[in-house]
Amino acid sequence: MYNNNMGPQPGMPMPQTTPQPNPFGNAFSGPGSGLIRSGLGAYGEKIFGSSSEYVQSNITRYFSDPQYYFQVNDQYVRNKLKIVLLPFLHRGHWTRISEPVGGRLSYKPPIYDINAPDLYIPLMAFGTYLVLAGFSLGLYGKFSPEALNWLFVKGMVGWFLQVMLLKITLLSLGSGESPLLDIVAYAGYAFTGLCLAVLGKIIWGYSYYVLIPWTCLCTGVFLVKTMKRVLFAEARSYDSSRHHYLLIFVALAQFPLLIWLGNISVNWLF
């Protein structure tokens, strides 16, 4: 019988195996591998570094820091409400206070600048608007969770339309540099006057017909002065006639928009 076991026999020397050469094996371990690794590392760092800076710069450019818009105190809130509800009585300037930060100009937060936009007042005003609207529906026996949800959607649509109005106006004048949250904040200030109008309607129904035109007028004046002195400061071109026509359009657009939002009902139009 023959032994078919082809394995090595005891006492016999192991055969020598020659390793196959790897044409790619010496790229990172042979001479010059340090230069290759450092070159690839620098190239990757450049790509990802530039991409990170690009994303960060665009986020800062269009959205800014959300925490910035909530740096408020009681004094700021009181003074800001006076400016929004009674813009005719504001005798100070409307420009924002800038300061150098990291080699570039930045604006001071609302707690240090009354003209800085914030999101605290718009969000609180929007919530108060929903509460007052729900209470108003309850007085007429029309309150329901579905009606309150409908008013929430209606309020959000109105806020969105206000943002689009301001954004399109800025773009048409060649100024697209303003952060989106700035425009959202300026558009949301309209709910402060709406709260006053709805509250007046709850207390005495006829007062609504005086308060809602006043709210539209004050909101229009506030937005005109704000956009003219603050937002339009970034416009690269200036056309006096076009500038004034668009400002008038923004002011007049407050009347149908705020009257629509001030009409507390479960219908879209009236």
Side-chain angles (χ1 to χ4, degrees):
M1 295 290 298
Y2 292 99
N3 187 6
N4 293 328
N5 186 7
M6 301 304 295
Q9 299 297 324
M12 296 182 63
M14 295 291 294
Q16 300 292 330
T17 59
T18 303
Q20 296 295 326
N22 185 2
F24 304 101
N26 296 328
F28 297 97
S29 59
S33 60
L35 180 62
I36 296 177
R37 286 197 299 267
S38 62
L40 291 176
Y43 184 70
E45 182 179 357
K46 181 180 180 180
I47 293 177
F48 290 106
S50 60
S51 300
S52 175
E53 292 176 358
Y54 176 78
V55 173
Q56 184 177 2
S57 63
N58 278 274
I59 291 177
T60 303
R61 177 181 177 183
Y62 294 107
F63 291 97
S64 189
D65 183 12
Q67 297 180 356
Y68 169 90
Y69 298 91
F70 295 93
Q71 300 182 33
V72 300
N73 56 12
D74 295 339
Q75 182 180 3
Y76 168 82
V77 173
R78 288 193 301 268
N79 294 331
K80 193 71 172 185
L81 289 177
K82 293 178 183 178
I83 295 177
V84 175
L85 299 176
L86 300 170
F88 307 100
L89 302 181
H90 181 57
R91 302 305 179 188
H93 61 84
W94 290 81
T95 56
R96 296 169 63 178
I97 302 175
S98 60
E99 59 180 354
V101 176
R104 61 184 182 87
L105 288 179
S106 179
Y107 294 109
K108 288 189 175 183
I111 193 174
Y112 301 115
D113 184 9
I114 190 61
N115 294 317
D118 73 282
L119 287 174
Y120 174 80
I121 293 178
L123 290 176
M124 292 297 102
F126 182 75
T128 306
Y129 164 78
L130 294 178
V131 172
L132 293 174
F135 187 77
S136 177
L137 289 177
L139 292 178
Y140 295 97
K142 298 180 181 180
F143 177 81
S144 66
E146 292 78 12
L148 191 61
N149 292 335
W150 190 262
L151 288 174
F152 174 80
V153 175
K154 184 178 180 179
M156 292 301 296
V157 170
W159 200 341
F160 174 77
L161 292 176
Q162 186 84 293
V163 171
M164 293 302 297
L165 172 65
L166 300 181
K167 186 64 177 179
I168 293 175
T169 303
L170 290 174
L171 291 176
S172 63
L173 288 177
S175 176
E177 303 294 331
S178 299
L180 178 61
L181 292 182
D182 280 15
I183 302 176
V184 171
Y186 289 125
Y189 287 127
F191 288 100
T192 58
L194 280 175
C195 292
L196 184 63
V198 176
L199 180 61
K201 186 177 183 179
I202 293 174
I203 297 175
W204 186 43
Y206 292 103
S207 65
Y208 173 80
Y209 300 101
V210 177
L211 291 175
I212 193 64
W214 175 261
T215 296
C216 298
L217 179 62
C218 291
T219 303
V221 172
F222 171 78
L223 290 177
V224 166
K225 288 183 175 293
T226 299
M227 296 179 69
K228 184 177 181 180
R229 301 292 180 86
V230 180
L231 300 179
F232 285 169
E234 300 175 355
R236 296 183 177 88
S237 60
Y238 181 83
D239 187 349
S240 179
S241 60
R242 187 182 181 187
H243 191 142
H244 293 157
Y245 284 136
L246 286 174
L247 287 176
I248 294 174
F249 174 75
V250 170
L252 294 178
Q254 302 309 307
F255 285 85
L257 180 60
L258 299 187
I259 290 175
W260 175 63
L261 290 175
N263 181 39
I264 306 302
S265 65
V266 294
N267 299 322
W268 274 105
L269 295 179
F270 300 103

